[in-house]
Amino acid sequence: MRKLDTLRQLEGAEDRLKVFECDLTQPGSFDAAIKGCTHVFHVASPVLLNLKKDDVRKNLLKPAVEGVENVLKSCSAEVSVRRVVLTSSIAAMAGEFWEHGKDHLISESDWNLCSSETFMPYRYSKVLAERRAWEIEQQQRTGENAWSLCVINPGFPFGPPVLPNSTSESVKLCKDMLKGKFRIGFPPIGMPICDVDQLAQAHVVAAFNEQAKGRYLCAAEGMSLQTLMKQCEEMFEPRRKFVGPPLPKFVTFLG
């Protein structure tokens, strides 16, 4: 498949890269990929932000939770697995940043309690998926093939994609910015961000440091996306205009 060409060109891929066809919603789908592995990274979960209400459960919540169940059950069935690293999100810690109190500093002990199937369903999917992961980890602790779990909770990842035609939300945002989509304005939306390379390093440390355990928040101090775009404007010579004045926040949910 041509979309795998970039991966096959990575250093060491010829000797060490193996590609498996898997389905998050199919039990046993990951058995072959996990066979013989000591460390497993579960980094894939649907990122769908503009779903119709009737599609949320089928296309977002169901694959997010079943994906965790199927990957972790395959880990429990494989005697070699010792550590699993799950990519969750800061969204699993807070739905709205006011929900824990105006001056509260979000930490690894926090859980998102305000999101639901009808209110910020993507964030709700991250809550459901991570909670299910911890339930499964608890259930298998005393088993013969027990493994330990570490969870990384990143902010919004930014950085160069490995795949040139990436469809990730952060890449899409950057492309829309470069196309001038936000020149007329942008709502004052703020969020913590993180560097994608440092996020990858955090996963590796969580996997191979035996002292690592629990959840790890991986995010810088929050900033508005409008401020971020303004900073990007200054990186070009001649300077380019990417973002206009602040727009009402409800504009975010249009289109």
Side-chain angles (χ1 to χ4, degrees), residues 3 20 28 30 39 63 101-102 106 108-109 118 122 125 137 153 157 182 184 186 245:
K3 66 180 181 180
F20 298 84
F30 293 86
H39 296 73
K102 181 180 178 181
I106 295 172
E108 286 84 354
S109 63
T118 57
Y122 166 69
S125 75
E137 191 269 348
N153 298 76
F182 310 123
I184 61 172
F186 195 83

Side-chain angles (χ1 to χ4, degrees), residues 3-194:
K3 66 180 181 180
L4 298 177
D5 288 348
T6 302
L7 295 178
R8 292 193 171 109
Q9 292 170 10
L10 294 174
E11 182 179 353
E14 184 175 347
D15 299 321
R16 295 185 284 121
L17 177 66
K18 296 181 180 179
V19 179
F20 298 84
E21 183 175 356
C22 303
D23 185 333
L24 287 172
T25 63
Q26 291 297 318
S29 178
F30 293 86
D31 288 354
I34 291 174
K35 186 174 180 59
C37 294
T38 57
H39 296 73
V40 174
F41 299 85
H42 178 35
V43 300
S45 185
V47 182
L48 303 170
L49 302 181
N50 293 305
L51 281 175
K52 295 180 180 179
K53 182 170 64 174
D54 294 340
D55 295 331
V56 167
R57 182 167 299 216
K58 176 183 177 182
N59 296 330
L60 182 62
L61 304 185
K62 187 173 183 285
V65 175
E66 290 187 358
V68 165
E69 292 176 342
N70 291 327
V71 169
L72 297 190
K73 287 179 179 179
S74 291
C75 291
S76 295
E78 177 54 51
V79 66
S80 62
V81 176
R82 288 291 173 263
R83 172 65 59 90
V84 178
V85 179
L86 170 73
T87 309
S88 183
S89 171
I90 193 174
M93 297 174 165
E96 288 279 16
F97 295 112
W98 45 254
E99 73 170 295
H100 300 301
K102 181 180 178 181
D103 298 320
H104 178 77
L105 184 64
I106 295 172
S107 72
E108 286 84 354
S109 63
D110 291 317
W111 282 93
N112 174 352
L113 302 176
C114 73
S115 296
S116 67
E117 187 172 335
T118 57
F119 178 67
M120 296 186 173
Y122 166 69
R123 297 186 182 192
Y124 186 52
S125 75
K126 304 307 291 186
V127 176
L128 294 180
E130 187 185 338
R131 284 197 181 278
R132 184 63 181 128
W134 286 116
E135 289 174 358
I136 296 173
E137 191 269 348
Q138 177 71 32
Q139 293 166 359
Q140 60 84 54
R141 282 184 183 179
T142 58
E144 183 178 350
N145 299 341
W147 39 264
S148 61
L149 175 67
C150 273
V151 174
I152 304 295
N153 298 76
F156 198 37
F158 278 98
V162 173
L163 300 176
N165 295 319
S166 172
T167 58
S168 76
E169 288 295 323
S170 58
V171 172
K172 181 178 181 298
L173 177 70
C174 293
K175 288 181 177 179
D176 286 344
M177 180 188 75
L178 291 170
K179 293 175 182 176
K181 183 176 180 179
F182 310 123
R183 286 178 186 169
I184 61 172
F186 195 83
I189 301 172
M191 64 179 66
I193 62 175
C194 65

